[in-house]
C-alpha cells in the first residue's frame, strides 16, 4: 500500500508540474482537461470506457453489470440534455459519449472511501487508480505534445530523413502503398492507429481477469509498461524534436503544418535528395513526437504481452503490431529510423520492469543497460552520422537492423530463462505381472 501511495503522490506532483508548464505556454494542462470531461464532451469516449473497464476488473460480475448500465444511462441523460439545449458536438474534436464512464469511476471512488474497509477498500482504490492512470497518461501525453511544439521551434527532420536512406526510405514506400489501397485500407489503418489504447485495455483485461477472484493484482502487466513508455518517451521528444515526413516533406496533417513550413513537397512520391542536413524551423502547433515512435513502442508492448494469451489474442496482438507499423509509415507520421528506435525503447523498458518484479534480477538489468546503450547509439548516429549512413546503405542498413535484432534476441533469451521449466511427465512404474 505504501508503494501505491508513494506512486500516487509522485504522479499527482508530476501532473501539477505539467499543468503549470502547459499554462505557461498558454494551453490547457492535463488536470484541467480531465476535469472538463466531467461535463463537456470528452476527447475520447472510447478511452473513458476503457478506463472504466480496467477499474471493473476488481468488481464482481453483478457489480460490473450495474456499473456498465449506470454509465450508459448517464451518457443517455447527457445526450438528451445536449440535444434539448441545442449543443452540437464536433465529432472531429470530441465524442458524444464517455461522461457516464467517468462518473461511474468517480462514484466507485466515493464508495471505496465511504462504504468499503480494509483490503476491499485498498483493492477497489487500486482498480480506480489503474483506470485513471490510463486516462491521465493520455492527457499527460497531449500536454507534452503541445509543450514540445511551443518549446522546440526547430526540428531535426533532415537528419533523420537522410539517415533513413540506409533503410530504403520506408515511409515513402509504404506511403505510396497505402495511397494505392484506397479509402478502405486508409480507414482500417486509421481505426487501428487511433484506438491503440483500447487494444491495450483488451490485452490488459485478459491479464487481470483473475483479480476479482484472487483479490490481488499480478506483479507485472501491460498497463505498467504502457505508462512508463508514455512517461519517458516525451522526454526524448524534447531532446530530439522531429515532426515526421508528411509535415517536413509534405502538406501536413490534422490541421497543422503546411507546404510553407515544409523543406520540400516530396512525400510520398520522391525521397529527399542527399545533402548535408541542418535544423529547420517549424510551426508552433505540430507536436515534435517522432523520435522514438511511441505508437510503435506501445504496439510492440501489446504484442509482447499478448503472447501469453489464447490464440485469438496472439493473432490480434500480431495484427495490431503490423497494422500500426504500416499506419505510422503509410500516413507519413514516422520515418523507419523512428520505428527501430521505438522497438529498442520498449524492450529496454520491459526488461527493466520485469527485472524489478524479480527483485532486480541481474540478467534483466544487464539487458536493460544494453538496450539503453543501443538506444542512445541510435540517436547519436541519426544526429551525427546521417550523411555517412545514407552514403553506405549496404553497410548501415543491416547494422541498424542487427542492433535492433540484438536487443530482441537478448530479450527473448533472458525472459525464456525466467519461464518455469515444464514439469516432467511422471511415467507409472511397471507393475509385476500376475503369474
Amino acid at each position: 500500500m505504501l508503494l501505491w501511495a508513494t506512486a500516487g503522490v509522485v504522479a499527482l506532483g508530476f501532473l501539477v508540474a505539467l499543468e503549470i508548464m502547459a499554462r505557461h505556454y498558454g494551453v490547457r494542462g492535463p488536470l484541467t482537461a480531465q476535469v472538463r470531461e466531467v461535463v463537456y464532451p470528452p476527447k475520447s469516449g472510447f478511452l473513458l470506457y476503457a478506463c472504466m473497464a480496467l477499474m471493473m476488473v476488481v468488481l464482481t460480475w453483478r457489480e460490473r453489470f450495474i456499473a456498465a448500465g449506470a454509465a450508459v444511462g448517464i451518457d443517455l441523460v447527457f445526450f438528451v440534455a445536449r440535444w434539448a439545449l441545442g449543443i452540437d458536438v464536433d465529432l472531429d474534436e470530441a465524442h458524444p459519449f464517455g461522461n457516464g464512464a467517468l462518473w461511474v469511476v468517480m462514484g466507485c471512488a466515493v464508495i471505496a472511501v465511504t462504504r468499503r474497509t480494509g483490503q476491499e477498500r485498498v483493492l477497489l482504490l487500486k482498480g480506480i487508480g489503474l483506470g485513471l492512470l490510463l486516462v491521465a497518461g493520455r492527457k499527460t501525453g497531449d500536454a507534452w505534445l503541445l509543450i514540445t511544439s511551443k518549446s522546440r521551434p526547430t526540428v531535426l527532420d533532415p537528419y533523420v530523413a537522410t539517415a533513413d536512406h540506409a533503410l530504403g526510405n520506408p515511409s515513402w514506400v509504404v506511403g505510396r502503398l497505402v495511397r494505392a489501397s484506397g479509402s478502405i485500407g486508409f480507414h482500417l489503418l486509421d481505426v487501428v492507429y487511433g484506438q491503440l489504447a483500447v487494444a491495450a485495455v483488451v490485452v490488459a483485461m485478459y491479464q487481470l481477469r483473475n483479480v476479482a477472484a484472487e483479490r490481488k493484482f499480478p506483479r507485472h502487466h501491460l498497463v505498467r509498461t504502457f505508462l512508463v513508455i508514455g512517461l519517458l518517451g516525451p522526454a526524448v521528444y524534447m531532446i530530439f524534436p522531429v515532426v515526421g515526413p508528411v509535415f517536413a516533406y509534405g502538406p501536413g496533417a490534422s490541421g497543422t503544418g503546411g507546404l510553407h513550413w515544409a523543406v520540400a513537397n516530396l512525400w510520398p512520391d520522391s525521397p529527399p535528395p542527399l545533402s548535408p542536413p541542418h535544423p529547420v524551423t517549424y510551426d508552433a502547433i505540430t507536436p515534435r513526437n517522432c523520435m522514438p515512435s511511441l505508437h510503435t513502442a506501445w504496439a510492440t508492448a501489446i504484442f509482447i504481452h499478448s503472447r501469453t494469451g489464447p490464440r485469438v489474442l496472439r493473432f490480434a496482438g500480431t495484427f495490431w503490431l503490423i497494422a500500426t507499423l504500416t499506419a505510422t509509415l503509410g500516413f507519413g507520421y514516422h520515418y523507419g529510423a523512428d520505428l527501430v528506435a521505438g522497438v529498442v525503447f520498449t524492450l529496454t523498458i520491459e526488461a527493466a520492469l520485469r527485472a524489478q518484479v524479480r527483485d532486480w534480477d541481474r540478467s534483466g538489468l544487464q539487458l536493460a543497460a544494453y538496450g539503453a546503450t543501443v538506444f542512445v547509439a541510435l540517436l547519436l548516429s541519426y544526429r551525427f552520422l546521417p550523411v555517412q549512413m545514407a552514403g553506405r546503405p549496404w553497410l548501415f542498413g543491416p547494422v541498424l537492423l542487427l542492433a535492433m535484432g540484438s536487443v530482441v534476441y537478448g530479450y527473448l533469451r533472458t525472459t525464456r530463462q525466467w519461464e518455469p521449466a515444464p514439469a516432467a511427465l511422471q511415467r507409472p512404474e511397471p507393475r509385476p505381472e500376475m503369474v
Side-chain angles (χ1 to χ4, degrees):
M1 185 60 183
L2 179 61
L3 178 62
W4 281 81
T6 303
V9 172
V10 172
L12 180 60
F14 177 72
L15 289 173
V16 171
L18 201 58
E19 182 78 25
I20 295 173
M21 291 175 62
R23 290 291 179 176
H24 173 73
Y25 288 108
V27 296
R28 191 178 296 124
L31 294 176
T32 307
Q34 188 57 65
V35 170
R36 277 175 54 88
E37 293 186 351
V38 174
V39 177
Y40 286 87
K43 183 175 181 179
S44 176
F46 294 108
L47 182 66
L48 290 178
Y49 269 92
C51 158
M52 184 183 72
L54 270 181
M55 182 269 297
M56 289 196 300
V57 299
V58 304
L59 304 180
T60 64
W61 278 107
R62 179 176 176 274
E63 293 169 337
R64 291 170 186 173
F65 284 121
I66 294 173
V72 173
I74 294 171
D75 269 335
L76 287 175
V77 172
F78 270 95
F79 179 82
V80 172
R82 288 174 186 139
W83 173 78
L85 296 173
I87 300 174
D88 294 326
V89 178
D90 185 356
L91 298 181
D92 292 330
E93 298 293 333
H95 287 155
F97 60 90
N99 304 94
L102 184 58
W103 276 78
V104 166
V105 173
M106 293 189 302
C108 287
V110 173
I111 292 173
V113 173
T114 60
R115 304 290 297 275
R116 299 287 178 90
T117 58
Q119 289 300 317
E120 290 300 310
R121 173 187 290 175
V122 171
L123 186 67
L124 182 53
L125 288 175
K126 284 182 178 180
I128 294 166
L130 192 66
L132 290 178
L133 277 175
L134 180 68
V135 180
R138 174 66 178 269
K139 299 301 180 185
T140 299
D142 291 343
W144 262 121
L145 296 183
L146 288 171
I147 291 171
T148 63
S149 65
K150 301 291 185 182
S151 63
R152 294 295 181 266
T154 60
V155 297
L156 302 178
D157 282 76
Y159 293 87
V160 185
T162 301
D164 224 36
H165 280 75
L167 296 171
N169 304 108
S171 181
W172 273 258
V173 175
V174 181
R176 291 194 294 270
L177 292 174
V178 170
R179 185 170 62 183
S181 70
S183 60
I184 296 177
F186 179 89
H187 288 301
L188 174 62
L189 293 176
D190 188 49
V191 170
V192 171
Y193 190 86
Q195 301 303 328
L196 188 67
V198 177
V201 169
V202 172
V203 176
M205 288 185 66
Y206 173 79
Q207 292 181 318
L208 303 175
R209 66 193 184 279
N210 296 324
V211 170
E214 298 176 354
R215 314 312 291 168
K216 65 178 182 179
F217 281 85
R219 298 187 68 187
H220 181 58
H221 48 81
L222 176 60
V223 181
R224 298 177 78 233
T225 308
F226 236 67
L227 293 173
V228 175
I229 289 173
L231 178 66
L232 298 181
V236 186
Y237 293 164
M238 302 291 285
I239 299 170
F240 209 114
V242 181
V243 291
V246 73
F247 298 99
Y249 295 94
S254 303
T256 66
L259 293 177
H260 55 288
W261 290 105
V263 177
N265 186 16
L266 300 174
W267 189 88
D269 299 305
S270 177
L274 291 178
S275 60
H278 58 86
V280 296
T281 303
Y282 210 79
D283 68 19
I285 303 174
T286 305
R288 280 59 166 154
N289 62 338
C290 278
M291 185 60 70
S293 168
L294 292 197
H295 260 77
T296 297
W298 283 317
T300 302
I302 291 173
F303 174 80
I304 291 172
H305 284 264
S306 66
R307 295 306 89 193
T308 57
R311 179 177 299 178
V312 63
L313 196 65
R314 297 197 302 271
F315 174 81
T318 303
F319 166 78
W320 220 269
L321 175 61
I322 295 173
T324 299
L325 297 180
T326 304
T328 56
L329 294 173
F331 292 160
Y333 296 153
H334 288 282
Y335 303 91
D338 307 337
L339 273 60
V340 172
V343 172
V344 174
F345 188 69
T346 294
L347 295 178
T348 301
I349 290 173
E350 184 71 18
L353 290 176
R354 293 191 178 225
Q356 181 264 325
V357 301
R358 297 181 64 84
D359 298 323
W360 302 109
D361 180 87
R362 182 178 179 181
S363 61
L365 292 177
Q366 289 174 338
L367 175 60
Y370 175 71
T373 302
V374 172
F375 182 74
V376 172
L378 289 173
L379 297 186
L380 292 175
S381 64
Y382 299 157
R383 180 63 176 83
F384 297 107
L385 298 174
V387 175
Q388 293 82 349
M389 295 172 68
R392 298 176 178 82
W394 51 269
L395 172 62
F396 285 97
V399 166
L400 289 176
L401 296 178
L402 285 173
M404 179 183 71
S406 67
V407 179
V408 173
Y409 172 75
Y411 177 83
L412 292 174
R413 185 182 64 178
T414 302
T415 54
R416 283 172 180 168
Q417 293 175 353
W418 294 339
E419 294 175 358
L425 294 177
Q426 298 292 331
R427 293 185 178 183
E429 295 185 3
R431 300 175 64 182
E433 297 182 2
M434 300 295 293
V435 179

